[in-house]
Amino acid sequence: MTALILDGKALAKQREQMLTQRVNLLEQQPVLATILVGGDPSSATYVQMKINACGRTGMGSRSIELPESTTTEELLATIDELNSDSQVCGILLQHPVPAQIDERACFDAIAITKDVDGVTTQGFGRMAMGEQAFGSATPAGIMTLLDHYDIALEGKHAIVVGRSPILGKPMAAMLLNANCTVTVCHSRTVDLAEQVSRADIVVGAVGKPELIRAEWIKDGAVVVDAGYHQGGLGDIEKLGLENRVAALTPVPGGVGPMTINALISQTLEAAELLA
Ligand code: NAP
């Protein structure tokens, strides 16, 4: 078996063309506000990639950079201003923020109509209940990728390794909504290898290079790797998988471009809802 490569880079590029056409139909240019707190170089790169994607599709962006010493109150005040700014249709608060900030309070301060990165508690709850909401960008991008490649989900056993609020938990809810049987694993899971070996679909969202070993994964599985580490490693070891699994996401070029694509797609949707 030769694995189907779930090419997020190519799909994101293709979808950007469609997004550009939709942006051109709007009277007012959609604007995504990005908030970067502190000087973490990786976060700065991620934010710049999101701003670049806005530029490629004709959307506007407003970049807000706050110092490392920013307080929760200061960040809340910035979010409040953006909530009431009629030119801004989406707000991205780059995760993680410095430790002194109450990140959950700040995420939850984002107006639900502008929560295009899908980080609010309310948005998560609505999504989990199957109500209209912008999904958390990374799992939403993964779902778009699986859909594009016609990966069957109904009745499949999906394992999500990781339960973070922005990735593992919403991923599990989205797969459940798509009628998978879902197991969520985390740092206290006993015998991760055995859990993973039972899965038809494995999602690596653990943040540790190649923690999920190739030998744990069963033949014919679908492998989705959200991780990206130095040296091009993901959260899942790929050794030999290309010859025995049904499909897999490359690292890089799989989940990452789809995350950005989900963010800008949802920004455009927010603008269309406002228009
Ligand atoms: P996170 O907040 O650090 O969460 C990691 C999760 O993995 C936690 O739930 C943790 O369990 C679990 N975990 C840690 N060690 C484990 C172990 N030994 N066995 C089983 N589970 C373990 O990370 P995140 O923000 O969700 O990100 C996860 C990965 O996705 C990272 O590689 C990150 O770079 C990547 N990511 C990619 C994108 C993208 O756009 N491509 C976006 C976001 C994240 P506990 O809950 O028990 O601590």
Side-chain angles (χ1 to χ4, degrees):
M1 175 181 278
T2 303
L4 174 67
I5 301 301
L6 307 178
D7 187 342
K9 192 174 173 190
L11 179 59
K13 196 170 175 195
Q14 186 186 320
R15 284 174 57 84
E16 280 186 5
Q17 288 171 3
M18 294 184 308
L19 294 179
T20 307
Q21 288 169 10
R22 278 165 56 194
V23 170
N24 288 337
L25 296 175
L26 290 172
E27 271 177 31
Q28 200 181 327
Q29 186 191 40
V31 173
L32 173 70
T34 62
I35 310 174
L36 174 65
V37 189
D40 177 63
S42 304
S43 291
T45 303
Y46 292 139
V47 169
Q48 191 55 52
M49 287 164 82
K50 292 164 188 178
I51 292 170
N52 292 347
C54 287
R56 287 197 298 274
T57 51
M59 290 192 223
S61 55
R62 190 182 307 168
S63 163
I64 292 153
E65 294 185 9
L66 299 175
E68 190 79 36
S69 58
T70 301
T71 63
T72 300
E73 290 66 33
E74 287 165 342
L75 183 50
L76 286 172
T78 300
I79 292 168
D80 214 32
E81 273 175 38
L82 295 171
N83 280 340
S84 0
D85 187 329
S86 60
Q87 283 185 331
V88 170
C89 57
I91 300 171
L92 164 88
L93 170 58
Q94 184 64 36
H95 161 86
V97 294
Q100 77 278 6
I101 294 177
D102 182 344
E103 183 178 79
R104 176 47 45 207
C106 293
F107 276 157
D108 282 343
I110 297 172
I112 184 88
T113 51
K114 299 189 180 188
D115 178 24
V116 292
D117 202 28
V119 293
T120 62
T121 302
Q122 192 188 357
F124 175 86
R126 289 184 60 82
M127 178 278 291
M129 291 297 168
E131 299 292 325
Q132 198 287 323
F134 298 122
S136 180
T138 302
I142 290 171
M143 294 304 285
T144 302
L145 188 61
L146 295 174
D147 180 62
H148 175 80
Y149 282 99
D150 284 329
I151 302 294
L153 299 178
E154 187 161 318
K156 302 292 181 187
H157 184 189
I159 297 251
V160 181
V161 188
R163 57 172 168 180
S164 73
I166 58 158
L167 216 180
K169 279 182 187 160
M171 183 80 258
M174 287 179 198
L175 290 167
L176 186 60
N177 286 347
N179 296 320
C180 285
T181 300
V182 182
T183 300
V184 184
C185 299
H186 47 78
S187 65
R188 316 293 164 84
T189 295
V190 175
D191 204 349
L192 185 61
E194 203 272 328
Q195 295 290 346
V196 170
S197 70
R198 294 188 295 117
D200 303 309
I201 299 163
V202 181
V203 181
V206 75
K208 294 190 175 158
E210 298 194 342
L211 180 109
I212 300 158
R213 311 307 296 175
E215 64 186 14
W216 300 350
I217 294 171
K218 75 176 180 187
D219 291 356
V222 172
V223 176
V224 176
D225 194 340
Y228 178 60
H229 308 278
Q230 246 184 351
L233 299 181
D235 289 353
I236 303 178
E237 183 193 33
K238 303 298 183 319
L239 195 66
L241 287 185
E242 65 280 6
N243 296 320
R244 61 180 192 84
V245 298
L248 64 87
T249 58
V251 176
V255 172
M258 291 308 297
T259 296
I260 295 175
N261 194 261
L263 171 73
I264 59 168
S265 297
Q266 294 188 152
T267 304
L268 176 56
E269 275 172 50
E272 289 170 339
L273 286 169
L274 286 170

